[in-house]
Amino acid sequence: MFYFVIFIQTAINTGVGVGAILLAGECLQIVYSNIAPNGSLKLYHFIAMVTVVMIVLSQLPTFHSLRHINLCSLFLSLGYTFLVVGACIHAGTSKNAPPRDYSLEPKKSSRAFSAFTAISIIAAIFGNGILPEIQATLAPPATGKMIKGLTMCYAVILVTFYSAAVSGYWVFGNKSNSNILKSLLPDEGPSLAPTWVLGLAVIFVLLQLFAIGLVYSQVAYEIMEKKSADVKQGMFSKRNLLPRIILRTIYMIFCGFVAAMLPFFGDINGVVGAVGFIPLDFVLPMILYNKTHKPPKSSLTYLINMSIMVVFSGAGIMGAFSSIRKLVLDANQFKLFGSDVVD
């Protein structure tokens, strides 16, 4: 069970790290393509730039040392959401408002697969609550603090993710890009919102993505450094500093390489949600509760836990299948180290 949880957590954190680097690189590409429409730089060049910055920032030694970055990340999320929602409202009410199509896919099977992929992505969004759960530096009693942390986490998720998603879908319908800034700054035609607003939003989300990548990488660092570090020596001693720099650099290069090679942002979210967040957040807690507290099999608690396990196990299996199916279908739209992110 220990190795099962470690495997899932590592998969989640690596997937989020890859996604953060990919999206940050795309944000830089959006700015560059508007400044120099005929420029020669490709997406993988910007991903390489982001990876270098992440390598430098990854040398912050512990989760606790990121506390100020986490606080800034909160304000950046709220600022970005405010700007994007405002830009979407401006675009939707302007004379240049794009045509909207809210129709679904014609085939029922495609709609069903898309629904399970969407469930996996939503699970990935709400799975952000994993961070308070794996925070090992909470002073006891941890239960109350974890509840406060999770409440704050879900409140921010509802305000940020859903307001941006709803406003973006309202303006662009089913043609909305996974990165809404790309829809607001189309390759052809004028910007659909004031340029300074979108430029500020790009800066906000870029800084936010650096923070996300740093936070989610901590579990991988903890696993690697538990074997490589010597606890008897100081954190900044030569014995511990050199392995930390080497291992963290290799890990970030790996994430950047995968992001550049396989630019599937939406599909990565779906796979991470189905394979990682659904079992870790909805299935495993029910198993652990039944094993620890041993409620009678005829009790309501036991039956509810078993129902949740069965339903979300099925959703996870179908979500993994539909996400991988979409990944395979989207593979026809790109080439290795391509210059466009596949939604």
Side-chain angles (χ1 to χ4, degrees):
M1 184 60 71
F2 171 78
Y3 290 107
F4 174 71
V5 174
I6 288 295
F7 170 77
I8 292 179
Q9 284 190 345
T10 303
I12 288 172
N13 287 276
T14 303
V16 173
V18 170
I21 292 175
L22 174 59
L23 192 55
E26 187 187 25
C27 288
L28 288 177
Q29 185 190 37
I30 291 171
V31 175
Y32 174 76
S33 62
N34 279 271
I35 296 174
N38 300 316
S40 59
L41 294 181
K42 305 297 183 183
L43 176 63
Y44 56 83
H45 292 125
F46 298 105
I47 289 175
M49 297 175 195
V50 172
T51 302
V52 170
V53 175
M54 290 295 292
I55 288 171
V56 175
L57 295 176
S58 68
Q59 304 310 318
L60 290 168
T62 63
F63 198 109
H64 185 66
S65 61
L66 299 177
R67 61 192 183 280
H68 301 301
I69 292 178
N70 288 338
L71 180 61
C72 292
S73 174
L74 169 62
F75 293 116
L76 288 169
S77 295
L78 296 174
Y80 168 77
T81 303
F82 176 78
L83 291 170
V84 164
V85 171
C88 286
I89 293 172
H90 179 276
T93 54
S94 70
K95 62 180 181 180
N96 296 322
R100 302 166 194 175
D101 182 5
Y102 301 117
S103 62
L104 300 176
E105 295 167 290
K107 294 177 63 177
K108 289 184 178 180
S109 59
S110 297
R111 290 203 298 269
F113 285 128
S114 295
F116 281 108
T117 301
I119 289 171
S120 301
I121 293 174
I122 292 172
I125 292 171
F126 279 96
N128 281 273
I130 191 178
L131 290 179
E133 295 168 19
I134 63 175
Q135 167 61 286
T137 60
L138 287 175
T143 305
K145 296 174 184 177
M146 283 178 61
I147 293 296
K148 290 180 181 178
L150 289 169
T151 303
M152 180 69 173
C153 177
Y154 290 133
V156 172
I157 287 171
L158 286 170
V159 171
T160 55
F161 282 97
Y162 276 88
S163 57
V166 170
S167 59
Y169 187 73
W170 170 69
V171 178
F172 301 104
N174 55 25
K175 302 299 181 185
S176 177
N177 195 280
S178 60
N179 184 348
I180 196 65
L181 294 174
K182 202 164 185 178
S183 296
L184 291 166
L185 285 167
D187 294 331
E188 298 178 0
S191 168
L192 297 177
T195 305
W196 70 268
V197 171
L198 298 179
L200 192 58
V202 168
I203 294 172
F204 279 10
V205 74
L206 191 60
L207 295 175
Q208 162 73 344
L209 288 166
F210 285 139
I212 291 172
L214 287 174
V215 169
Y216 273 90
S217 299
Q218 293 303 309
V219 173
Y221 299 158
E222 180 75 17
I223 294 170
M224 292 186 296
E225 291 162 18
K226 189 173 288 186
K227 299 292 185 181
S228 65
D230 185 353
V231 294
K232 296 180 180 178
Q233 299 193 37
M235 186 180 297
F236 295 100
S237 64
K238 186 177 179 180
R239 165 65 182 80
N240 290 331
L241 184 61
L242 286 178
R244 183 165 72 238
I245 291 175
I246 293 170
L247 289 172
R248 294 189 179 195
T249 299
I250 292 173
Y251 177 79
M252 278 301 166
I253 290 174
F254 169 77
C255 290
F257 181 79
V258 173
M261 184 174 66
L262 303 170
F264 296 98
F265 181 69
D267 298 343
I268 288 174
N269 270 335
V271 173
V272 169
V275 176
F277 283 112
I278 287 180
L280 194 62
D281 282 4
F282 299 101
V283 179
L284 189 60
M286 306 301 113
I287 296 175
L288 296 178
Y289 184 93
N290 285 348
K291 289 287 185 181
T292 303
H293 297 283
K294 295 181 173 59
K297 292 186 178 182
S298 58
S299 67
L300 182 61
T301 300
Y302 182 85
L303 294 175
I304 291 175
N305 287 346
M306 290 300 296
S307 299
I308 292 173
M309 287 166 54
V310 171
V311 169
F312 281 98
S313 293
I317 292 170
M318 288 300 300
F321 178 79
S322 60
S323 298
I324 294 171
R325 171 184 173 273
K326 188 172 185 297
L327 197 63
V328 172
L329 293 175
D330 288 343
N332 297 321
Q333 303 177 25
F334 94 113
K335 58 182 180 180
L336 289 176
F337 299 100
S339 193
D340 293 306
V341 175
V342 180
D343 285 338

